[in-house]
Amino acid sequence: MASESAKSRLASYNAALVKRLAPLRALPDGVLCDQSLSQVRVWVIKDATIISLFFLNPESGTLDGPMSRIDIERPLHLLAPYTRALLLTLLWRPSPCRVCVLGFGGGRISLVLHAHLSDIVIDNVDIDPAFATIASDYFGVTFDERQHLHIADALEYLQLSPHRYDIIIMDAFSDARDHLGHLATAEFYALCRERLRPGGVIGVNLLRSDPEFSTKVRTFHSAFRATVAAPLRHSVVVFGAGRLPAPITELSARARDLGQRYSFDAGLCDIAAMLCPLRMIDLW
């Protein structure tokens, strides 16, 4: 259970966050930002209190995503199930010192970790510097000595980084159109293993719509000694480590304890109850 001082600090953090986001309430619904970046075109769209980040598909003219979503009235609540699933990396490292998030976008997971874990340092990595402004202007992210954004390719960043991590979170692609296959190879996962501290874990979001989905799942399974997965409707969140943090039947109860310890505004138990060995995932 979170201490009274931790609850007070979190309440203050949330109040300041809501205040930063308050100007967005007065804006009309619709497109708030239309920006062409180096690799994608980004739209930020407001619908009532929900702000969403989309990529515009150049082939179809349709929107891919949302890549990030926030309710400006409840900003520390993670709306997307896969983002809540990625918080389950904390089952392996409940008190992480340093976390690496590959694929920043609107910074939703990073914002929640920064808010709830007061001693954590987060190294975010994204290829385009524009996401620093997008995450700040529309998703309430602030950068400080605990929240960093490195502009780099994820592979190159890990190759050059002097740090080792308790947790690596990977959400740096939507599907095969992104040409980021180099971030789903045996060599890349070997590099991730090198960058993890003993007992560390990597969590990766893999989209079922990716034509290479089954290949990526098998590659991930072969790269780590212990692998489990949370099968969701549109994606599978996979976890790789040297071992499981507990028997798989106990993980839901541990997720409940995590939620109480950090006062997350998100249920983790339901997703933890889905966890199963990765080899059991249906690769349709």
Side-chain angles (χ1 to χ4, degrees):
M1 191 69 70
S3 67
E4 290 304 315
S5 61
K7 290 180 181 178
S8 177
R9 185 195 64 81
L10 181 60
S12 297
Y13 190 107
N14 188 65
L17 176 57
V18 169
K19 185 176 180 180
R20 288 200 301 275
L21 293 167
L24 297 174
R25 289 197 203 99
L27 298 179
D29 288 356
V31 178
L32 303 183
C33 174
D34 178 357
Q35 188 172 356
S36 294
L37 309 186
S38 59
Q39 296 187 347
V40 296
R41 183 174 173 184
V42 168
W43 278 14
V44 178
I45 298 176
K46 180 175 182 279
D47 182 8
T49 64
I50 305 298
I51 308 292
S52 303
L53 169 67
F54 292 90
F55 292 166
L56 186 66
N57 188 322
E59 298 173 2
S60 65
T62 59
L63 296 178
D64 288 342
M67 303 302 173
S68 298
R69 279 189 299 162
I70 189 170
D71 184 341
I72 57 178
E73 300 290 346
R74 192 180 169 189
L76 292 179
H77 175 64
L78 289 172
L79 294 166
Y82 87 87
T83 56
R84 298 199 299 274
L86 286 167
L87 288 183
L88 294 177
T89 49
L90 293 165
L91 290 169
W92 281 261
R93 302 293 282 183
S95 302
C97 295
R98 199 168 197 114
V99 171
C100 183
V101 179
L102 304 174
F104 183 62
R108 294 296 293 127
I109 296 172
S110 302
L111 175 68
V112 169
L113 290 173
H114 187 263
H116 290 269
L117 282 72
S118 59
D119 297 323
I120 196 173
V121 175
I122 307 164
D123 287 315
N124 301 284
V125 183
D126 209 295
I127 197 68
D128 201 303
F131 285 113
T133 302
I134 290 170
S136 176
D137 288 354
Y138 302 106
F139 295 91
V141 175
T142 57
F143 300 99
D144 57 19
E145 70 279 0
R146 297 194 300 114
Q147 183 86 276
H148 310 288
L149 178 58
H150 306 273
I151 306 305
D153 174 81
L155 174 63
E156 294 175 359
Y157 174 80
L158 288 179
Q159 287 173 331
L160 298 175
S161 174
H163 303 297
R164 298 186 75 188
Y165 294 99
D166 298 291
I167 294 170
I168 296 175
I169 291 173
M170 174 81 175
D171 186 32
F173 48 84
S174 57
D175 60 29
R177 288 190 305 273
D178 292 309
H179 307 296
L180 294 178
H182 65 295
L183 304 182
T185 65
E187 293 76 16
F188 175 74
Y189 292 135
L191 176 60
C192 290
R193 288 199 310 269
E194 292 177 11
R195 288 292 175 263
L196 286 173
R197 290 173 173 160
V201 62
I202 181 173
V204 180
N205 184 44
L206 297 175
L207 279 190
R208 293 183 184 271
S209 61
D210 188 340
E212 300 298 321
F213 172 72
S214 60
T215 299
K216 289 178 179 179
V217 169
R218 292 188 181 99
T219 300
F220 188 89
H221 179 256
S222 299
F224 298 93
R225 233 187 219 175
T227 55
V228 294
L232 305 173
R233 181 180 178 186
H234 298 296
S235 69
V236 174
V237 176
V238 294
F239 303 87
R243 58 175 178 76
L244 292 181
I248 205 162
T249 54
E250 297 179 12
L251 296 181
S252 186
R254 292 200 175 200
R256 181 193 63 238
D257 294 342
L258 270 177
Q260 293 174 348
R261 174 179 176 180
Y262 289 117
S263 299
F264 287 126
D265 184 8
L268 301 182
C269 295
D270 57 337
I271 296 179
M274 300 178 186
L275 291 173
C276 63
L278 182 53
R279 66 179 181 276
M280 295 176 61
I281 292 296
D282 183 9
L283 300 180
W284 51 265

